[in-house]
Amino acid sequence: MSDSDHTLPASVLAPLDARLADLVALYEDLHRHPELGFHETRTAAEAARRLTECGYEVTTGIGGTGVTGVLRNGPGPVVLLRADMDALPVTERTGLPYASTAEGRMHACGHDVHVTCLLGAADLLAAGREQWSGTLIALFQPAEEVGNGARAMLDDGLYSKQLVPVPDVVLAQHVAPFGAGLIAYCPGACMAAADSLEITFHGSGGHGSRPETTVDPIVMAASFVQRVQSVVAREVAPKDQAVVTVGSFHAGDSANVIPDLAVVRLSVRSFDETVRSRVLAAIDRIARAEAAASGAERAPETEILDSFPVTVNDPVTLRKVNETFTGLFGEQRLFAYDPASGSEDVGLLATAAEAPLYYWWLGGWDPEEFRTALAAGRLAQDIPSNHSPRFVPVVRPTLTMGVQALTTAALSRLDPARD
């Protein structure tokens, strides 16, 4: 988009005010009815219904519950906008009048915001199609939280079976617990690779009064948990980043019985493939060494539960989209952030298409509360993060800016309409 086209987003965005009440109602409805990964049937049906009404070619059931809408609007680039749909197994504690009605499930990561904003942007772009040329894809992805949704859609033929055209660029956003009305960006590696592992330690159980007759898997696994903390401290260079977190330890059922097994689950985060490989190899080495040191006759078994790649933003695409954001929102609304240790699978959609990706953060917290917590140095204590049972984005201006951001980002990569 050239400098002469800076008026274009404003004309396409003009109907947003009239549509906002409907979008707020949609958001509250989605928040009341959260659905876990690969079970987003209600959410997917609503996305498909609205896309159909807007004139998109709609395909449902991709990778289970994935939905795509394609709007072909003349020659030009193919732009893919993505929103994830799944909720989390979290019991909500927000006290909202539109709180989750599903026991033990909640939109604690803001995917209801993502779906609402993409449907709003898809509506505006369809209504303003005389202003641009190209092909727009609105993609609603299942199961981001477990890291399988993007892969499931690709494996189901998203590109290979031409369910959608192969995109020239992939764009997405994620609501975050900083002031609503702000956008944060990070060039290059912006979110970590994540590997979740389950390691089963095999011992030989027996009576708690006669430990000498056993090989105690609890001691074995406990030693592993202690030793594995040294991987980042002693095997990763200070200039690199990695996180190793043990989040689950299960063994035995009785106070006086030594069990046969101990099962440990842990999460590994990294931003570089070499570092990732080194950390995973160290974990495997330590697990085997602790088993050998305990006299175990059987080596531990490791299962990969899920795996996310590093999310990498294309610097050129980031710069061009941010120029449009700056023109619309003002330079003071954008700020750079350091790579986040959370993980995403949206990068698979870009990598499979050999297309650039830009993934940005959308502020969603009450601006005054955020400023007060920031000034007091209490962000971690006072502002709940994503996945918290108290995570609750403010509706306005979060939805407004989220729709505007997706719409203008798409327009920055589509061609202007030709007379």
Side-chain angles (χ1 to χ4, degrees), residues 6-331:
H6 280 316
T7 58
L8 181 56
S11 63
V12 177
L13 292 172
L16 177 56
D17 285 347
R19 289 163 161 78
L20 192 57
D22 175 63
L23 292 175
V24 170
L26 169 64
Y27 165 70
E28 292 181 353
D29 180 71
L30 293 174
H31 193 86
R32 286 190 188 98
H33 300 95
E35 298 170 300
L36 299 180
F38 295 121
H39 295 278
E40 309 94 337
T41 54
R42 187 179 185 277
T43 306
E46 181 63 13
R49 183 186 72 80
R50 287 175 175 255
L51 289 172
T52 301
E53 288 182 352
C54 291
Y56 287 76
E57 304 167 21
V58 177
T59 304
T60 62
I62 308 173
T65 49
V67 176
T68 59
V70 178
L71 189 60
R72 305 175 197 271
N73 194 37
V78 179
V79 176
L80 188 153
L81 302 179
R82 175 269 205 173
D84 38 11
M85 300 186 291
D86 54 324
L88 284 160
V90 172
T91 299
E92 183 161 356
R93 299 178 187 169
T94 63
L96 290 170
Y98 52 90
S100 171
T101 59
E103 183 67 28
R105 301 199 301 271
M106 177 194 174
H107 269 298
C109 202
H111 296 187
D112 45 355
V113 173
H114 306 168
V115 171
T116 302
C117 290
L118 180 49
L119 286 170
D123 181 17
L124 293 180
L125 288 161
R129 72 188 76 185
E130 72 282 355
Q131 302 283 358
W132 56 271
S133 182
T135 297
L136 180 69
I137 303 168
L139 184 147
F140 295 84
Q141 180 201 306
E144 182 277 332
E145 294 293 355
V146 294
N148 295 331
R151 172 56 58 197
M153 294 188 76
L154 291 168
D155 289 347
D156 207 14
L158 180 69
Y159 302 147
S160 62
K161 294 180 182 178
Q162 300 180 339
L163 302 180
V164 301
V166 177
D168 296 307
V169 64
V170 175
L171 304 169
Q173 65 186 3
H174 201 300
V175 67
F178 59 84
L182 300 175
I183 286 177
Y185 62 91
C186 177
C190 64
M191 296 193 75
D195 298 279
S196 294
L197 312 176
E198 181 179 273
I199 302 178
T200 301
F201 292 90
H202 298 276
S204 177
H207 200 289
S209 68
R210 299 190 65 200
E212 75 279 5
T213 67
T214 73
V215 175
D216 192 336
I218 295 179
V219 173
M220 188 190 314
S223 297
F224 165 80
V225 171
Q226 287 291 103
R227 181 62 183 269
V228 82
Q229 305 306 313
S230 70
V231 171
V232 173
R234 290 295 176 266
E235 301 192 40
V236 176
K239 65 180 179 61
D240 296 322
Q241 290 180 275
V243 177
V244 176
T245 298
V246 176
S248 175
F249 190 124
H250 288 280
D253 299 301
S254 177
N256 66 342
V257 176
I258 294 173
D260 286 330
L261 301 175
V263 180
V264 175
R265 289 187 173 188
L266 63 157
S267 175
V268 178
R269 309 276 172 157
S270 56
F271 293 89
D272 176 87
E273 191 57 41
T274 300
V275 174
R276 182 186 196 182
S277 297
R278 185 185 305 134
V279 171
L280 292 174
I283 291 169
D284 181 69
R285 184 190 74 236
I286 292 170
R288 290 176 178 275
E290 292 296 348
S294 295
E297 295 183 357
R298 183 175 172 186
E301 297 171 343
T302 299
E303 178 185 354
I304 298 175
L305 301 177
D306 59 59
S307 184
F308 294 77
V310 178
T311 303
V312 182
N313 275 331
D314 175 65
V316 174
T317 304
L318 180 150
R319 177 178 57 79
K320 291 181 177 179
V321 173
N322 277 3
E323 288 174 357
T324 307
F325 284 166
T326 300
L328 180 65
F329 302 125
E331 188 175 356

Side-chain angles (χ1 to χ4, degrees), residues 320-386:
K320 291 181 177 179
V321 173
N322 277 3
E323 288 174 357
T324 307
F325 284 166
T326 300
L328 180 65
F329 302 125
E331 188 175 356
Q332 73 281 3
R333 295 286 191 91
L334 275 67
F335 68 95
Y337 74 95
D338 293 331
S341 55
S343 302
E344 252 284 356
D345 65 352
V346 65
L348 293 172
L349 300 174
T351 301
E354 298 183 349
L357 168 73
Y358 180 23
Y359 180 90
W360 63 90
W361 291 96
L362 174 72
W365 204 258
D366 178 88
E368 187 57 38
E369 288 185 17
F370 182 80
R371 282 191 292 268
T372 300
L374 179 63
R378 291 185 53 84
L379 286 179
Q381 295 82 6
D382 296 346
I383 306 298
S385 66
N386 299 72

